[in-house]
Amino acid sequence: MNKHSELEIFKLCERLAELLGDEEAIADLNILLERHPGMFVGKEQVYNLIKKVVNDPEIIIKNPTPKSDQDYIAGSRLNEQKMGEIGIRKDENISKIYHANEKRMKNLEALKKRGEILYNADGRDAHTPYTQAQSLDERLVRKEHFTSYDYNYIT
């Protein structure tokens, strides 16, 4: 991190790169720090939060109040008590990180309910929804597959 720079470029994880069509995104650390002065000690803390989330997000959702077609919120666990959250969008053909903050861990679960889930670290996403009914269906299919029943019985 360049201590004198306001702008930083972050390499994106594969899923964010795929969604945005870019391998990198830019963030103005001074602006992000000014938006949450009591949350961050300095630009380095903002930088570290963004780097953690864009490198290894646990969840990515479509922003429920988007300002562009490619507008997402990503979140990741920072430690046992805190999660990091960033807002990232494609704006004027540039991927920009416009939001960054720290929240309590319970907000990671709440994030999953805020918008369409595009990536979830547990392997489930909006394109492969997994419900309790599907789980039951899979168990029934497996049971039928492995259970033999002889329908030719003598009456």
Side-chain angles (χ1 to χ4, degrees), residues 3 8 20 32 35 39 41 55 68 93 96 101 116 124 134-135 155:
K3 301 262 187 220
E8 286 291 337
L20 293 160
L32 295 172
R35 288 184 183 155
M39 184 177 296
V41 176
N55 285 332
S68 79
N93 213 25
K96 297 177 183 176
N101 68 16
E116 177 187 355
R124 299 177 195 141
Q134 287 172 315
S135 174
T155 57

PDB file of all heavy atoms in Angstrom, residues 3 8 20 32 35 39 41 55 68 93 96 101 116 124 134-135 155:
ATOM      1  N   LYS A   3       1.418   4.760   1.153  1.00  0.00           N
ATOM      2  CA  LYS A   3       0.893   5.559   2.272  1.00  0.00           C
ATOM      3  C   LYS A   3       0.429   6.955   1.832  1.00  0.00           C
ATOM      4  O   LYS A   3      -0.397   7.561   2.480  1.00  0.00           O
ATOM      5  CB  LYS A   3       1.960   5.706   3.362  1.00  0.00           C
ATOM      6  CG  LYS A   3       2.430   4.390   3.907  1.00  0.00           C
ATOM      7  CD  LYS A   3       1.723   4.067   5.161  1.00  0.00           C
ATOM      8  CE  LYS A   3       2.332   2.832   5.775  1.00  0.00           C
ATOM      9  NZ  LYS A   3       1.420   1.944   6.331  1.00  0.00           N
ATOM     10  N   GLU A   8      -6.188   3.333  -4.558  1.00  0.00           N
ATOM     11  CA  GLU A   8      -5.530   2.025  -4.520  1.00  0.00           C
ATOM     12  C   GLU A   8      -6.230   1.104  -5.494  1.00  0.00           C
ATOM     13  O   GLU A   8      -7.450   1.185  -5.684  1.00  0.00           O
ATOM     14  CB  GLU A   8      -5.596   1.401  -3.127  1.00  0.00           C
ATOM     15  CG  GLU A   8      -4.686   2.029  -2.116  1.00  0.00           C
ATOM     16  CD  GLU A   8      -3.199   1.778  -2.347  1.00  0.00           C
ATOM     17  OE1 GLU A   8      -2.846   0.784  -3.018  1.00  0.00           O
ATOM     18  OE2 GLU A   8      -2.396   2.580  -1.845  1.00  0.00           O
ATOM     19  N   LEU A  20     -17.889  -8.573 -12.721  1.00  0.00           N
ATOM     20  CA  LEU A  20     -17.616  -7.206 -13.160  1.00  0.00           C
ATOM     21  C   LEU A  20     -16.941  -7.118 -14.523  1.00  0.00           C
ATOM     22  O   LEU A  20     -16.909  -6.056 -15.133  1.00  0.00           O
ATOM     23  CB  LEU A  20     -16.757  -6.493 -12.111  1.00  0.00           C
ATOM     24  CG  LEU A  20     -17.460  -6.240 -10.782  1.00  0.00           C
ATOM     25  CD1 LEU A  20     -16.462  -5.991  -9.677  1.00  0.00           C
ATOM     26  CD2 LEU A  20     -18.442  -5.085 -10.906  1.00  0.00           C
ATOM     27  N   LEU A  32     -13.363   6.718   1.619  1.00  0.00           N
ATOM     28  CA  LEU A  32     -13.941   5.642   2.429  1.00  0.00           C
ATOM     29  C   LEU A  32     -13.662   5.861   3.915  1.00  0.00           C
ATOM     30  O   LEU A  32     -14.528   5.601   4.752  1.00  0.00           O
ATOM     31  CB  LEU A  32     -13.412   4.284   1.964  1.00  0.00           C
ATOM     32  CG  LEU A  32     -13.827   3.891   0.539  1.00  0.00           C
ATOM     33  CD1 LEU A  32     -13.097   2.627   0.104  1.00  0.00           C
ATOM     34  CD2 LEU A  32     -15.324   3.720   0.423  1.00  0.00           C
ATOM     35  N   ARG A  35     -15.988   8.621   5.289  1.00  0.00           N
ATOM     36  CA  ARG A  35     -17.381   8.190   5.468  1.00  0.00           C
ATOM     37  C   ARG A  35     -17.602   7.493   6.802  1.00  0.00           C
ATOM     38  O   ARG A  35     -18.712   7.482   7.321  1.00  0.00           O
ATOM     39  CB  ARG A  35     -17.789   7.263   4.328  1.00  0.00           C
ATOM     40  CG  ARG A  35     -17.977   7.992   3.021  1.00  0.00           C
ATOM     41  CD  ARG A  35     -18.480   7.075   1.939  1.00  0.00           C
ATOM     42  NE  ARG A  35     -18.586   7.803   0.692  1.00  0.00           N
ATOM     43  CZ  ARG A  35     -18.524   7.245  -0.495  1.00  0.00           C
ATOM     44  NH1 ARG A  35     -18.368   5.943  -0.613  1.00  0.00           N
ATOM     45  NH2 ARG A  35     -18.623   7.976  -1.585  1.00  0.00           N
ATOM     46  N   MET A  39     -14.926   4.381  12.661  1.00  0.00           N
ATOM     47  CA  MET A  39     -14.819   2.939  12.444  1.00  0.00           C
ATOM     48  C   MET A  39     -13.374   2.504  12.180  1.00  0.00           C
ATOM     49  O   MET A  39     -12.957   1.436  12.618  1.00  0.00           O
ATOM     50  CB  MET A  39     -15.700   2.537  11.256  1.00  0.00           C
ATOM     51  CG  MET A  39     -15.739   1.050  11.004  1.00  0.00           C
ATOM     52  SD  MET A  39     -16.853   0.636   9.652  1.00  0.00           S
ATOM     53  CE  MET A  39     -18.407   1.153  10.327  1.00  0.00           C
ATOM     54  N   VAL A  41      -9.126   3.238  12.100  1.00  0.00           N
ATOM     55  CA  VAL A  41      -8.023   3.978  12.708  1.00  0.00           C
ATOM     56  C   VAL A  41      -7.299   4.808  11.650  1.00  0.00           C
ATOM     57  O   VAL A  41      -6.864   5.912  11.907  1.00  0.00           O
ATOM     58  CB  VAL A  41      -7.037   2.999  13.402  1.00  0.00           C
ATOM     59  CG1 VAL A  41      -5.835   3.744  13.950  1.00  0.00           C
ATOM     60  CG2 VAL A  41      -7.751   2.241  14.504  1.00  0.00           C
ATOM     61  N   ASN A  55     -10.375 -10.483  -1.903  1.00  0.00           N
ATOM     62  CA  ASN A  55      -9.589 -11.693  -2.145  1.00  0.00           C
ATOM     63  C   ASN A  55     -10.335 -12.963  -1.780  1.00  0.00           C
ATOM     64  O   ASN A  55     -10.134 -14.006  -2.396  1.00  0.00           O
ATOM     65  CB  ASN A  55      -8.268 -11.664  -1.369  1.00  0.00           C
ATOM     66  CG  ASN A  55      -7.257 -10.732  -1.980  1.00  0.00           C
ATOM     67  OD1 ASN A  55      -7.265 -10.483  -3.172  1.00  0.00           O
ATOM     68  ND2 ASN A  55      -6.379 -10.208  -1.151  1.00  0.00           N
ATOM     69  N   SER A  68     -26.073   0.754 -10.886  1.00  0.00           N
ATOM     70  CA  SER A  68     -25.684   0.280 -12.215  1.00  0.00           C
ATOM     71  C   SER A  68     -26.102  -1.182 -12.331  1.00  0.00           C
ATOM     72  O   SER A  68     -26.507  -1.801 -11.351  1.00  0.00           O
ATOM     73  CB  SER A  68     -24.171   0.427 -12.444  1.00  0.00           C
ATOM     74  OG  SER A  68     -23.453  -0.601 -11.810  1.00  0.00           O
ATOM     75  N   ASN A  93     -17.432   2.217 -16.981  1.00  0.00           N
ATOM     76  CA  ASN A  93     -16.512   1.187 -17.485  1.00  0.00           C
ATOM     77  C   ASN A  93     -15.309   0.938 -16.571  1.00  0.00           C
ATOM     78  O   ASN A  93     -14.298   0.395 -16.991  1.00  0.00           O
ATOM     79  CB  ASN A  93     -16.058   1.515 -18.907  1.00  0.00           C
ATOM     80  CG  ASN A  93     -15.837   0.251 -19.708  1.00  0.00           C
ATOM     81  OD1 ASN A  93     -16.418  -0.801 -19.412  1.00  0.00           O
ATOM     82  ND2 ASN A  93     -14.988   0.325 -20.712  1.00  0.00           N
ATOM     83  N   LYS A  96     -15.307   0.087  -9.351  1.00  0.00           N
ATOM     84  CA  LYS A  96     -14.982   0.970  -8.229  1.00  0.00           C
ATOM     85  C   LYS A  96     -15.533   0.398  -6.930  1.00  0.00           C
ATOM     86  O   LYS A  96     -16.669  -0.071  -6.880  1.00  0.00           O
ATOM     87  CB  LYS A  96     -15.605   2.347  -8.447  1.00  0.00           C
ATOM     88  CG  LYS A  96     -15.087   3.068  -9.665  1.00  0.00           C
ATOM     89  CD  LYS A  96     -15.798   4.397  -9.844  1.00  0.00           C
ATOM     90  CE  LYS A  96     -15.322   5.098 -11.112  1.00  0.00           C
ATOM     91  NZ  LYS A  96     -16.059   6.347 -11.353  1.00  0.00           N
ATOM     92  N   ASN A 101     -17.010  -1.118   5.176  1.00  0.00           N
ATOM     93  CA  ASN A 101     -17.170  -0.943   6.613  1.00  0.00           C
ATOM     94  C   ASN A 101     -17.035  -2.259   7.344  1.00  0.00           C
ATOM     95  O   ASN A 101     -17.005  -3.326   6.739  1.00  0.00           O
ATOM     96  CB  ASN A 101     -18.468  -0.210   6.979  1.00  0.00           C
ATOM     97  CG  ASN A 101     -19.720  -0.990   6.707  1.00  0.00           C
ATOM     98  OD1 ASN A 101     -19.706  -2.191   6.512  1.00  0.00           O
ATOM     99  ND2 ASN A 101     -20.837  -0.296   6.683  1.00  0.00           N
ATOM    100  N   GLU A 116     -30.244 -10.790  -3.869  1.00  0.00           N
ATOM    101  CA  GLU A 116     -30.046 -12.037  -4.607  1.00  0.00           C
ATOM    102  C   GLU A 116     -28.611 -12.518  -4.398  1.00  0.00           C
ATOM    103  O   GLU A 116     -27.658 -11.820  -4.727  1.00  0.00           O
ATOM    104  CB  GLU A 116     -30.306 -11.808  -6.094  1.00  0.00           C
ATOM    105  CG  GLU A 116     -30.063 -13.016  -6.947  1.00  0.00           C
ATOM    106  CD  GLU A 116     -30.162 -12.715  -8.435  1.00  0.00           C
ATOM    107  OE1 GLU A 116     -30.517 -11.585  -8.809  1.00  0.00           O
ATOM    108  OE2 GLU A 116     -29.853 -13.627  -9.214  1.00  0.00           O
ATOM    109  N   ARG A 124     -23.440 -22.778  -2.393  1.00  0.00           N
ATOM    110  CA  ARG A 124     -24.775 -22.551  -2.920  1.00  0.00           C
ATOM    111  C   ARG A 124     -24.868 -21.111  -3.388  1.00  0.00           C
ATOM    112  O   ARG A 124     -24.377 -20.207  -2.750  1.00  0.00           O
ATOM    113  CB  ARG A 124     -25.829 -22.805  -1.853  1.00  0.00           C
ATOM    114  CG  ARG A 124     -25.775 -24.224  -1.377  1.00  0.00           C
ATOM    115  CD  ARG A 124     -26.776 -24.450  -0.280  1.00  0.00           C
ATOM    116  NE  ARG A 124     -26.435 -25.702   0.379  1.00  0.00           N
ATOM    117  CZ  ARG A 124     -26.516 -25.904   1.666  1.00  0.00           C
ATOM    118  NH1 ARG A 124     -26.957 -24.975   2.448  1.00  0.00           N
ATOM    119  NH2 ARG A 124     -26.175 -27.057   2.181  1.00  0.00           N
ATOM    120  N   GLN A 134     -35.741 -29.872  -1.394  1.00  0.00           N
ATOM    121  CA  GLN A 134     -34.803 -30.537  -2.289  1.00  0.00           C
ATOM    122  C   GLN A 134     -33.969 -31.552  -1.533  1.00  0.00           C
ATOM    123  O   GLN A 134     -33.691 -32.628  -2.029  1.00  0.00           O
ATOM    124  CB  GLN A 134     -33.889 -29.527  -2.978  1.00  0.00           C
ATOM    125  CG  GLN A 134     -34.597 -28.734  -4.042  1.00  0.00           C
ATOM    126  CD  GLN A 134     -33.713 -27.621  -4.544  1.00  0.00           C
ATOM    127  OE1 GLN A 134     -33.087 -26.915  -3.773  1.00  0.00           O
ATOM    128  NE2 GLN A 134     -33.670 -27.469  -5.847  1.00  0.00           N
ATOM    129  N   SER A 135     -33.580 -31.196  -0.332  1.00  0.00           N
ATOM    130  CA  SER A 135     -32.806 -32.121   0.486  1.00  0.00           C
ATOM    131  C   SER A 135     -33.602 -33.390   0.730  1.00  0.00           C
ATOM    132  O   SER A 135     -33.090 -34.497   0.617  1.00  0.00           O
ATOM    133  CB  SER A 135     -32.435 -31.446   1.810  1.00  0.00           C
ATOM    134  OG  SER A 135     -31.802 -32.358   2.661  1.00  0.00           O
ATOM    135  N   THR A 155     -49.900 -64.206  -4.948  1.00  0.00           N
ATOM    136  CA  THR A 155     -51.135 -63.904  -4.211  1.00  0.00           C
ATOM    137  C   THR A 155     -51.977 -65.133  -3.990  1.00  0.00           C
ATOM    138  O   THR A 155     -51.926 -66.125  -4.606  1.00  0.00           O
ATOM    139  CB  THR A 155     -51.995 -62.853  -4.956  1.00  0.00           C
ATOM    140  OG1 THR A 155     -52.260 -63.345  -6.246  1.00  0.00           O
ATOM    141  CG2 THR A 155     -51.302 -61.544  -4.921  1.00  0.00           C
TER     142      THR A 155
END
